[in-house]
Each structure stands twice: as structure tokens, then as C-alpha cells.
Amino acid sequence: MSEQEHKHDDDCGCGHDHDHEHDENVFLVTDADGIEHEMVMVYTFESNQQAYAVLLDRNELESDGVIFRVEEENEEAYLVSIEDDEEWNRVVAIYNEIASKESEEDK
């Protein structure tokens, strides 16, 4: 079993300290080159009654975020790549506007 598939708990024997809460939702995302990245959901928003999530690479927090569409099936939510250019341009514009407003509020 790889480290990424390892189920951590108090008795797993992996040597990690499990006496703390995990506030991050970590997702394994495979890029176009087949490389897996540990991604953390940092923001969610809606557009046209559709939910979207912004994820950052957990190990490269300075890298650009990635936006996914959040879809639900049988009460399970999952992330879907946005393939449609029109949808992509729309959600990127919305996210950039949100990020710009938050940046102004931080000043």
C-alpha cells in the first residue's frame, strides 16, 4: 500500500502523530502527465446553480489554484475537470472577481 493510499488512524503504526484534527480536505488529483498531486480545497463558489471548488497543491502553495466543477451523484460529491471553454472562462472570471474583492478587503 502506498503512502497516499495509507489509512491513518491511532493504531496504524506509521509513526505519524494522529492526536490532532485534520482541518484540510485533501484530494489526490492526477495531472495531464500522470503525476499525482495532493490538493487542498481552499474555496468554493456557485455560478448558474452549479458549485465549483478551488484547490491548491498542498506541497506547492505558491502555484496557481485549479478550479473544478463539483457534481453530486447518490449523495456523493466529486470533482470534475471543466472541459468547456465557455464554462471555464465564465468561472475563472467569477473567481478572479471574488479574489480581487477579497484582496481589496485585506488592505
Side-chain angles (χ1 to χ4, degrees), residues 46-98:
E46 285 194 16
S47 172
N48 294 349
Q49 299 177 339
Q50 176 63 57
Y52 296 91
V54 180
L55 280 70
L56 291 178
D57 190 314
R58 184 180 196 187
N59 299 308
E60 297 178 32
L61 295 177
E62 297 300 317
S63 65
D64 290 336
V66 181
I67 302 173
F68 289 94
R69 182 174 52 244
V70 179
E71 295 188 357
E72 292 186 29
E73 184 175 305
N74 300 325
E75 298 183 25
E76 292 285 328
Y78 56 97
L79 303 174
V80 178
S81 295
I82 302 170
E83 302 293 333
D84 180 72
D85 288 339
E86 183 178 324
E87 179 183 14
W88 176 255
N89 292 334
R90 178 175 43 83
V91 298
V92 167
I94 291 168
Y95 177 70
N96 286 339
E97 183 178 325
I98 292 167

Side-chain angles (χ1 to χ4, degrees):
M1 181 180 294
S2 76
E3 174 65 20
Q4 294 162 335
E5 296 171 340
H6 183 77
K7 302 288 188 221
H8 290 290
D9 63 21
D10 291 334
D11 301 316
C12 67
C14 72
H16 289 115
D17 175 13
H18 298 290
D19 293 332
H20 58 276
E21 292 294 320
H22 291 277
D23 294 329
E24 300 176 331
N25 287 323
V26 178
F27 301 87
L28 286 180
V29 177
T30 304
D31 67 18
D33 297 323
I35 299 171
E36 286 187 343
H37 299 269
E38 290 183 354
M39 306 291 284
V40 179
M41 187 181 303
V42 294
Y43 197 83
T44 58
F45 63 97
E46 285 194 16
S47 172
N48 294 349
Q49 299 177 339
Q50 176 63 57
Y52 296 91
V54 180
L55 280 70
L56 291 178
D57 190 314
R58 184 180 196 187
N59 299 308
E60 297 178 32
L61 295 177
E62 297 300 317
S63 65
D64 290 336
V66 181
I67 302 173
F68 289 94
R69 182 174 52 244
V70 179
E71 295 188 357
E72 292 186 29
E73 184 175 305
N74 300 325
E75 298 183 25
E76 292 285 328
Y78 56 97
L79 303 174
V80 178
S81 295
I82 302 170
E83 302 293 333
D84 180 72
D85 288 339
E86 183 178 324
E87 179 183 14
W88 176 255
N89 292 334
R90 178 175 43 83
V91 298
V92 167
I94 291 168
Y95 177 70
N96 286 339
E97 183 178 325
I98 292 167
S100 176
K101 286 180 183 177
E102 287 191 0
S103 176
E104 289 175 13
E105 291 174 6
D106 290 341
K107 289 181 181 179

